[in-house]
Amino acid sequence: MSGTPTAVVGAGIIGLSTALTLADRGHSVTVYDPAPARGASHYAGGMLAPASEVVYKQDPLLPLMQASASRYPELIALCRKYSDLPTGYRTEGTLVVARDRADSTFLDDLLSYQHARGVHAQRLTVRQARALEPALSPALSSAVLSSSDHQVQPRLFTRALVDACTNAGVSFIRELVTDVSHLPQEQVVIAAGHGAKDISGWGEGDKNPLQLRPVYGDILHLRAPAHLHPLATRVVRGVVEGRAIYVIPREDATLTVGATSREDGRASAQAQGVYQLLRDAIEILPGIEDCDFVEAGAGARPATPDDLPYLGRVSERVVVSTGYFRHGILLAALAARCAAELVEKQKPCLDLSACDPMRHRRTQ
C-alpha cells in the first residue's frame, strides 16, 4: 500500500505523530483540523511516565504505556529528521514524594504495585531525594525515584511536529470534518480527540459507537526568577493530603503545575483548582511561592468509559485513534506506529484487543 492517499482528522499530538509517521513511510497525507495543535495537547503536561502513572485495576493500560515509552526516542528522532525546532524532550527521570505519613501509604502501595508488574522504581530517603532536588521541602515524609519516566514540552513538541509534517510533505486543511465519507482519500484516521464522537460516514451502515466524555483539567504555568532557576531539574510528582500534584521544570525557566480533574463542562480554569494546585505545589516545593505567575488554563481530555483508548480499524477505509484521556502525550508514539500499520492493513506491533473502538457500541 505504498503511497496510499490518507486523511488524518485531528491535529493534536496523536494526529500529528500519526501523519508524520505515515508520511515517512511513503504515504500521501492530508491533515484536517481548523486549529492544529490547539486542543487537549496544548494544555497537557507532557510527562512520559509509564512507571509513576500506573493505574490501579487497569492492567491492560500498562503494556500500552510501556511500549509507547520505549518507542518515544524513535518518535523524537523522526521529528528531528524533518525539523530543527525543539521538542522539550528530557530524560532526567521523575521523583514521586509524599507530604506526610498518611500520603506515604499511597507511595508504599504504588511501589508494591510497580514491583509486582516489573516496573522499575527505587525507594529513596527524603535526604537522598533532597540531594537530587535541594528545593524540595524538608518536611516531606518519603520519596520514590522513577528514572525511566521522561518528559516533552507539548507546545514545543506539537509545533515541531507541524513543522516536521510540513517538511515531510503533509498537507494541512484548516477545516472541521464531521463526515469522513466526503473526504477523497482512500484511507482515513480519525484522531479528533473528544470530537471524534460526532464524526459520521464510517461506512457499512454503522453509527458512530464512540462513547467519549470531556474530562477537564486545570493547569498552571509559572516562571522561576533567576535566583531560583533551576527550581528543579526533573519532574516532581507529589501526594498532598491524598491529592496528586506535579511540577514539571522546563529549560526556559518555566514550570508546569497540574492538574485537576473535573467533569463539570466548564472550559475555563477554575479559581478553586488554581488555588489547590498552587497550595499543594508549595507544600512540596516551597520556592513555587516566589515564582512569577504566567498562565492558567484548562484542557478537555477525551475519556472513554473504561479509560482505555479507542485504537483500531472500524471499516475497510476508517481507522480510529482517540480517547487517550490522561496519557495522550505518552501514548502518541505507539498510537502513531499502530495507526500506520493499520492503514497499511498490517498486524499491529502490539495486541490492541483491549482498545477495540467498537467495544462500547450501544445495543440499538
Side-chain angles (χ1 to χ4, degrees), residues 36-243:
R38 296 295 301 183
S41 300
H42 186 73
Y43 297 99
M47 293 174 293
L48 312 175
S52 53
E53 287 197 337
V54 292
V55 180
Y56 298 115
K57 297 182 180 180
Q58 287 193 352
D59 288 352
L61 187 60
L62 181 57
L64 304 179
M65 296 166 68
Q66 291 175 317
S68 197
S70 70
R71 287 178 169 82
Y72 232 92
E74 298 172 15
L75 179 58
I76 296 296
L78 180 61
C79 187
R80 288 174 175 163
K81 177 180 177 180
Y82 293 98
S83 176
D84 293 328
L85 296 181
T87 63
Y89 182 57
R90 295 176 60 173
T91 60
E92 292 90 344
T94 295
L95 269 176
V96 187
V97 299
R99 175 63 182 86
D100 56 30
R101 289 185 178 180
D103 295 324
S104 288
T105 302
F106 172 85
L107 256 62
D108 293 338
D109 292 343
L110 174 64
L111 199 59
S112 297
Y113 189 85
Q114 290 170 327
H115 288 170
R117 285 152 184 80
V119 177
H120 178 70
Q122 177 187 357
R123 169 79 72 186
L124 299 181
T125 65
V126 173
R127 178 175 293 182
Q128 289 172 323
R130 295 191 73 229
L132 295 174
E133 298 294 346
L136 286 172
S137 168
L140 298 174
S141 63
S142 60
V144 169
L145 176 64
S146 297
S147 299
S148 61
D149 285 356
H150 303 152
Q151 64 151 301
V152 292
Q153 192 164 349
R155 295 183 187 182
L156 291 182
F157 193 24
T158 52
R159 193 177 304 135
L161 284 169
V162 169
D163 185 54
C165 284
T166 302
N167 294 334
V170 174
S171 299
F172 284 84
I173 297 179
R174 290 177 173 260
E175 294 179 359
L176 177 66
V177 172
T178 58
D179 185 343
V180 297
S181 66
H182 300 311
L183 298 179
Q185 289 79 15
E186 292 180 23
Q187 291 286 298
V188 176
V189 179
I190 298 176
H194 178 251
K197 69 179 179 58
D198 300 318
I199 295 176
S200 61
W202 292 25
E204 300 183 4
D206 280 324
K207 292 184 179 179
N208 187 320
L210 305 182
Q211 295 187 36
L212 291 161
R213 69 189 195 279
V215 180
Y216 288 91
D218 303 308
I219 192 166
L220 314 179
H221 296 279
L222 313 175
R223 179 173 289 106
H227 71 279
L228 288 179
H229 179 64
L231 188 61
T233 59
R234 71 202 74 220
V235 176
V236 178
R237 303 175 67 97
V239 185
V240 180
E241 297 178 357
R243 295 181 299 271

Side-chain angles (χ1 to χ4, degrees), residues 217-220 260 262 264 266-280 293 296-298:
D218 303 308
I219 192 166
L220 314 179
T260 62
R262 50 186 174 81
D264 55 9
R266 302 172 70 182
S268 298
Q270 302 298 299
Q272 171 60 30
V274 172
Y275 170 72
Q276 175 186 309
L277 291 173
L278 286 173
R279 179 185 58 187
D280 291 348
F293 192 93

Side-chain angles (χ1 to χ4, degrees), residues 7-37:
V8 176
V9 182
I13 193 166
I14 300 294
L16 292 170
S17 299
T18 300
L20 181 59
T21 300
L22 284 164
D24 187 64
R25 292 166 77 114
H27 301 286
S28 174
V29 183
T30 303
V31 174
Y32 295 84
D33 194 305

